[in-house]
Amino acid sequence: MPAPTSPADLFRHSLRLLLDKDIPAWVALWAEDGVMEFPFAPGGWPRRLEGREDVAAYMRHYPDHIDLHDFPELRIHRTTDPQTVVVEMRGVGRLVESDAPFDMTYIAVVTVRDGHFTSYRDYWNPLAVQEPGADFTGSSR
């Protein structure tokens, strides 16, 4: 079944893949030259990923560290660009290493072209990654 092509539907589909821990399928939603940015990333964490391969490497071990259970609050806002949406969401689950609760609020600005993510600016809370077991990126903190 092909992935949805509208930005809102593609984003919702991507969340389902994250909950299913299907990282390869999630990465396949990215354009080859897609860019993911983290404007609020703390020191030692990547601020910019360029291309599907960088995104895949970044997300490869995500389910080993963060066990997502739900996105209980999700709002997707259309913009004047029909290919871009602004997303407000909250992800909840647990940190695998410590079994501590995981609860993160995000705002993302996402652009889709030809059914793939081309730009994803992820404004997540850097304070949430101070918990032991939250560092799935292998950062140098």
Side-chain angles (χ1 to χ4, degrees), residues 56-77:
Y58 176 80
M59 291 295 292
R60 185 168 290 121
H61 299 292
Y62 188 93
D64 299 332
H65 298 275
I66 299 173
D67 178 20
L68 284 172
H69 297 165
D70 195 11
F71 292 97
E73 298 170 22
L74 174 65
R75 285 190 219 99
I76 300 175
H77 307 278

Side-chain angles (χ1 to χ4, degrees), residues 90-103:
R90 182 172 152 238
V92 298
R94 71 179 181 91
L95 297 174
V96 174
E97 180 181 308
S98 66
D99 204 36
F102 176 81
D103 192 333

Side-chain angles (χ1 to χ4, degrees), residues 38-58:
F38 308 97
F40 297 152
W45 283 67
R47 289 193 167 278
R48 183 178 172 93
L49 305 171
E50 295 190 29
R52 185 186 294 161
E53 285 185 31
D54 279 359
V55 171
Y58 176 80

Side-chain angles (χ1 to χ4, degrees), residues 10-137:
L10 186 70
F11 194 86
R12 283 187 194 92
H13 178 65
S14 76
L15 295 181
R16 179 80 254 153
L17 293 173
L18 288 176
L19 291 172
D20 291 345
K21 298 169 184 34
D22 191 346
I23 300 305
W26 187 86
V27 169
L29 300 178
W30 282 80
E32 282 294 326
D33 61 350
V35 174
M36 189 170 204
E37 297 176 282
F38 308 97
F40 297 152
W45 283 67
R47 289 193 167 278
R48 183 178 172 93
L49 305 171
E50 295 190 29
R52 185 186 294 161
E53 285 185 31
D54 279 359
V55 171
Y58 176 80
M59 291 295 292
R60 185 168 290 121
H61 299 292
Y62 188 93
D64 299 332
H65 298 275
I66 299 173
D67 178 20
L68 284 172
H69 297 165
D70 195 11
F71 292 97
E73 298 170 22
L74 174 65
R75 285 190 219 99
I76 300 175
H77 307 278
R78 293 186 179 136
T79 69
T80 57
D81 176 351
Q83 299 305 312
T84 300
V85 292
V86 174
V87 179
E88 297 177 86
M89 66 180 184
R90 182 172 152 238
V92 298
R94 71 179 181 91
L95 297 174
V96 174
E97 180 181 308
S98 66
D99 204 36
F102 176 81
D103 192 333
M104 176 84 77
T105 301
Y106 305 84
I107 292 179
V109 180
V110 181
T111 301
V112 172
R113 300 264 187 259
D114 301 321
H116 291 93
F117 295 127
T118 57
S119 175
Y120 190 124
R121 283 190 314 268
D122 194 353
Y123 295 89
W124 54 272
N125 179 0
L127 298 176
V129 298
Q130 293 177 349
E131 289 289 322
D135 186 359
F136 63 92
T137 67

